[in-house]
Structures are given as C-alpha cells and as structure tokens.
C-alpha cells in the first residue's frame, strides 16, 4: 500500500532560499491593479510624421488649443496643419514648450527659423541652443526632454553627421544630425518647487498616474512579504545589493549596483555623468 509522508510547511527565514509570499515587485509585472490609468488621457504626444515638406523645406501649423493631460505635468498643444496630400486639416498633439499660446504659428522643417516652439533638425541649430522633445533616432517623433520644465542643449557638431547634446540628467549623448527637436524648454516648469504638504494631494497626484502610492517600505513588512522584512528593529540585516540574475522574489533593494553611497568629489560625479 502507498504511504504518504506529510512534510512540515517551510518556515520563512531571513536567509537565502527562504520561501515566502509573492512580493510587490513581482505582482507589478502582471498588470492587474498596477496598470497605468489611461482612460482620460488625451493621446500620445508626438512630433509630426516626417515627410517631404519637413525634409526639404518647412510646413506651417497653428496652435488650436492648449490642453491638460491627466497624469502628465506638462501641458499639451493641439496643432492644426493643412494636409500636404489632401484637402483637409490634420491635427497633431505636441508637448507644449514654454511661451506657446493659442493662435500662434509654428513651423516644422529643415528651413524653419530658430524660434521657441518651432521644430527643426538638431544639425541646423547652432551650439548652445536650448531644445526639448528631442528624437533619439531620425523620425521617431520625440524621445528625450519631454517632462515639464525639462530641456536639452546642443553642445557641438561632429564631422560624421552627428551632434552632441546634453540631456536633462546632465549626461552627454551623440545623436544623428537629422534628429528633430523643438526649440525651447517644456512648459510647466517649477511644478516640484511647491511641496505637496498633505497626503490628499499625493493621493490625487498618483490617482491619475498609476497605483504606486502609498508605498510601504520593505523593512516595515514581515519576512514572508519582503526580503528586508522582519527583525526586532527595522533593519535590512544583509547587504541591500542583489545580483542581476537573482530570482524575482529576491530582487529588492539596489539591483546589480556598480557602486553605492553618495557621489563625493567633482571628478567622480562628472565621470559618471559622461558615461
């Protein structure tokens, strides 16, 4: 006759290989309650799809409206263009740059003037130009410096058809000279200068973004819920770093950190920024 051996339930411990609950970082990957709240969003904010008019000359548009996009700090601009191929008007949604107003004419293309709100290739801009909504690759319609108050800067032009720019993080990056960007800085700057002060404002801020607030600290949890949980005092109890290929339930804290601690000294700080 078959005999079944009943083993004791594994007890969660603070050591390696302890089994426990599925931690928050694992649950976020599944979607569920952690999906972004996009129902009231106004649509993707992108530059115009690159066409002959922009490659060889310019095209004029008029700002029809400045609108708020829930969950986004920067306002959006609805820009009206005349279609180059049909008798109709085409509406585009741009991330608004500072100083934009309804009724303003904006020009997009290689031969557009250097004026805030206009879109042109970075290869046509002089060094030192303040730009935003920068493309990473030609015709990708905008990737860098899109958050409120953000801007990048053209540093210099290289011989091989490339341009060096400084990103909002301070990091320097080389992109193709045909990548487009909007002249000026993104509107809505200074948003984080005013403190939230109370929980209700934080609640409404994140309600329209995603379920990421309030956030319970790992050390405040039980050992079954987080690798940092448990103990008589709130402490991690082991190094906060973990390896890149750690199992999902262990991946908490500083993941595959090259270094930890404060950045001390100007040289090390600059070296890290320049990559």
């Amino acid at each position: 006759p078959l005999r079944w051996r009943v083993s004791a339930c594994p007890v969660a411990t603070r050591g390696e290989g302890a089994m426990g609950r599925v931690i928050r970082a694992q649950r976020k990957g599944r979607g569920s309650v952690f999906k972004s709240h996009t129902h009231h969003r106004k649509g993707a904010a992108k530059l115009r799809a690159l066409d002959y008019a922009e490659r060889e000359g310019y095209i004029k548009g008029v700002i029809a409206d400045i609108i708020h996009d829930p969950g986004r700090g920067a306002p959006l601009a609805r820009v009206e263009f005349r279609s180059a191929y049909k008798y109709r008007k085409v509406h585009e949604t741009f991330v608004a740059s500072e100083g934009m107003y309804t009724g303003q004419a904006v020009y997009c293309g290689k031969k557009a003037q250097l004026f805030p709100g206009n879109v042109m290739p970075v290869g046509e801009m002089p060094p030192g130009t303040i730009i935003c909504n920068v493309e990473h690759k030609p015709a990708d319609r905008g990737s860098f410096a899109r958050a409120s108050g953000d801007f990048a800067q053209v540093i210099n032009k290289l011989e091989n058809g490339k341009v060096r720019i400084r990103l909002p993080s301070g990091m320097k990056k080389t992109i193709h000279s045909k990548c487009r960007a909007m002249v000026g800085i993104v509107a809505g700057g200074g948003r984080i200068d005013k403190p939230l002060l109370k929980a209700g404002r934080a609640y409404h801020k994140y309600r329209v973004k995603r379920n990421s607030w309030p956030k319970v600290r790992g050390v405040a949890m039980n050992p079954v819920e987080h690798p940092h949980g448990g103990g008589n005092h709130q402490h991690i109890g082991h190094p906060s770093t973990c390896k890149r290929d750690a199992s999902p339930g262990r991946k908490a804290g500083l993941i595959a950190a090259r270094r930890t601690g404060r950045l001390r000294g100007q040289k090390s700080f600059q070296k890290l920024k320049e990559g």
Side-chain angles (χ1 to χ4, degrees), residues 17 22 36 43 51 54 59 79-80 82-83 130 134 138 147 154 168 189 194 210 219 247 261 264:
V22 176
S36 60
D51 58 1
E54 281 206 44
I59 186 167
V79 188
E80 202 173 74
R82 288 175 65 180
S83 173
I130 300 295
V134 190
V154 178
K194 182 182 178 183
R210 71 202 74 82
V219 289
S247 58
R264 297 176 72 90

Side-chain angles (χ1 to χ4, degrees), residues 8-168:
C9 235
V11 179
T13 62
R14 294 176 69 86
E16 285 284 345
M19 291 184 66
R21 210 169 281 171
V22 176
I23 68 171
R24 181 175 55 203
Q26 291 172 280
R27 293 193 296 122
K28 280 191 173 182
R30 296 289 296 265
S32 182
V33 297
F34 296 106
K35 290 176 185 168
S36 60
H37 302 164
T38 57
H39 184 66
H40 293 289
R41 303 268 172 102
K42 299 297 187 286
K46 296 179 178 180
L47 300 177
R48 287 183 76 250
L50 188 63
D51 58 1
Y52 180 82
E54 281 206 44
R55 280 196 305 271
E56 301 300 326
Y58 66 86
I59 186 167
K60 178 186 173 183
V62 177
I63 298 173
D65 201 7
I66 306 283
I67 55 175
H68 170 67
D69 189 23
R72 187 195 294 265
L76 298 181
R78 283 266 163 86
V79 188
E80 202 173 74
F81 292 93
R82 288 175 65 180
S83 173
Y85 306 104
K86 280 188 177 180
Y87 179 67
R88 64 174 182 185
K89 288 181 178 175
V90 180
H91 290 86
E92 300 286 348
T93 306
F94 289 177
V95 175
S97 71
E98 200 164 273
M100 274 187 171
Y101 56 90
T102 52
Q104 178 187 348
V106 293
Y107 297 88
C108 303
K110 181 182 175 183
K111 295 184 178 174
Q113 287 187 332
L114 194 72
F115 188 81
N118 289 355
V119 178
M120 53 196 294
V122 289
E124 302 294 321
M125 299 177 185
T129 306
I130 300 295
I131 53 177
C132 63
N133 213 0
V134 190
E135 290 183 329
H136 184 198
K137 293 187 169 64
D140 76 4
R141 303 180 71 180
S143 296
F144 302 131
R146 291 160 55 90
S148 57
D150 269 4
F151 64 89
Q153 191 172 18
V154 178
I155 299 172
N156 58 348
K157 299 177 188 178
L158 308 174
E159 311 83 51
N160 53 356
K162 303 277 178 140
V163 175
R164 199 161 171 77
I165 62 168
R166 182 183 290 112
L167 297 177

Side-chain angles (χ1 to χ4, degrees), residues 185-208:
I185 75 170
V186 182
R191 178 172 50 86
I192 57 174
D193 292 347
K194 182 182 178 183
L196 290 175
L197 286 179
K198 56 183 190 174
R201 286 182 187 155
Y203 166 80
H204 287 293
K205 175 184 175 178
Y206 291 103
R207 184 177 64 90
V208 289

